[in-house]
Amino acid sequence: MFVRLLGPVIVEGEASALRLASGRARTLLSLLASRHGHTVPDETLIERIWGANQPVEPMDALYTCAKRLRRSIRQVCDINPVQRRQDGYLLSRRAVTVDITGFRTGVQEARTATRIGQDHTALELLTPALELWRGTPLSEVPGHWAHMTRRTLCREYQQAQLLRAEIGLRLGHHAQLLPALWEVTSDFPGDETAAGLLMIALDQCGRQPEALAHYRRLRRRLADEIGVEPGPWLRHLHESLLCGAPLIQQVPQPGSGESRADARV
């Protein structure tokens, strides 16, 4: 069984897929899948499923929710991966694969590959990891826990996209990277790393005026919103553009510690 959380919550069996109709069962599955293979205590599940509106008999309600989830899962596969433990529930590690785990494993392995100079291998690992994303994670799951988890996952996705951009620029894939970099800078308009990588890609495509214009937009945003100038790396990129020097040598290298967003004076 495959559980997708990086987008709408979906359960996939060998021959079919299911979007859970019950909102509480969907939340329960998300909670268990996010802690894949670990027991999630009853109190945690009750608090995150019902919040301040807990039922009169919360344990009975949790049992009913788990039963409904098992019944839904049986529509797509024969296994029973939702297992009861003395103080909670867990989602079987042997019977279930979760997209979040695949995404994080792929990103970590890609980072390891870049550190030993294997950019081609890193790109091969990152591409399927990023393709696991199907939209806003946990998009139909309400509540504070889902909101915070969504924020964390989106930040991880952003960092993975930037890692792919760094690798791709080192490999000369600047034109192919432009759509993804425009997307990241749109989603995170104040991120200096994303802005710098976009400027490098634009410069490599011969679009220096657009790179300069993007720098000016970011500089205005930083000044208006938090009252600071861009950091040293971004300022250096800007100065190089003004001098007509190519920016490709400014792509961050693995383990260099350069960058970017937090490097300020």
Side-chain angles (χ1 to χ4, degrees), residues 102-250:
F103 167 70
R104 287 173 168 164
T105 299
V107 172
Q108 184 56 50
E109 290 177 349
R111 291 190 189 282
T112 300
T114 63
R115 284 196 289 269
I116 58 176
Q118 296 182 357
D119 277 344
H120 287 284
T121 299
L123 200 58
E124 290 175 358
L125 291 164
L126 262 181
T127 298
L130 288 166
E131 287 174 351
L132 288 169
W133 283 70
R134 302 297 179 92
T136 302
L138 304 170
S139 59
E140 301 168 319
V141 181
H144 179 72
W145 169 80
H147 172 70
M148 297 306 295
T149 302
R150 213 161 14 244
R151 288 183 59 182
T152 298
L153 288 169
C154 287
R155 187 66 181 178
E156 290 180 32
Y157 182 56
Q158 180 215 16
Q159 293 302 315
Q161 287 178 301
L162 295 181
L163 176 62
R164 180 175 62 177
E166 291 179 7
I167 296 168
L169 287 171
R170 289 197 294 268
L171 295 175
H173 300 169
H174 38 272
Q176 299 96 308
L177 290 167
L178 279 176
L181 283 170
W182 280 119
E183 179 185 343
V184 177
T185 55
S186 175
D187 292 341
F188 299 90
D191 189 289
E192 294 188 32
T193 301
L197 294 175
L198 175 60
M199 289 168 63
I200 294 171
L202 288 169
D203 175 64
Q204 290 302 106
C205 291
R207 296 163 62 175
Q208 289 79 12
E210 290 178 68
L212 288 167
H214 190 69
Y215 176 85
R216 290 193 293 269
R217 284 194 298 272
L218 177 68
R219 185 182 183 189
R220 284 196 300 270
R221 176 179 289 274
L222 292 175
D224 292 344
E225 294 185 358
I226 53 178
V228 299
E229 287 288 312
W233 181 64
L234 210 58
R235 294 202 305 270
H236 182 65
L237 292 179
H238 180 240
E239 291 165 4
S240 298
L241 275 172
L242 293 176
C243 295
L247 303 189
I248 191 61
Q249 299 300 322
Q250 307 302 322

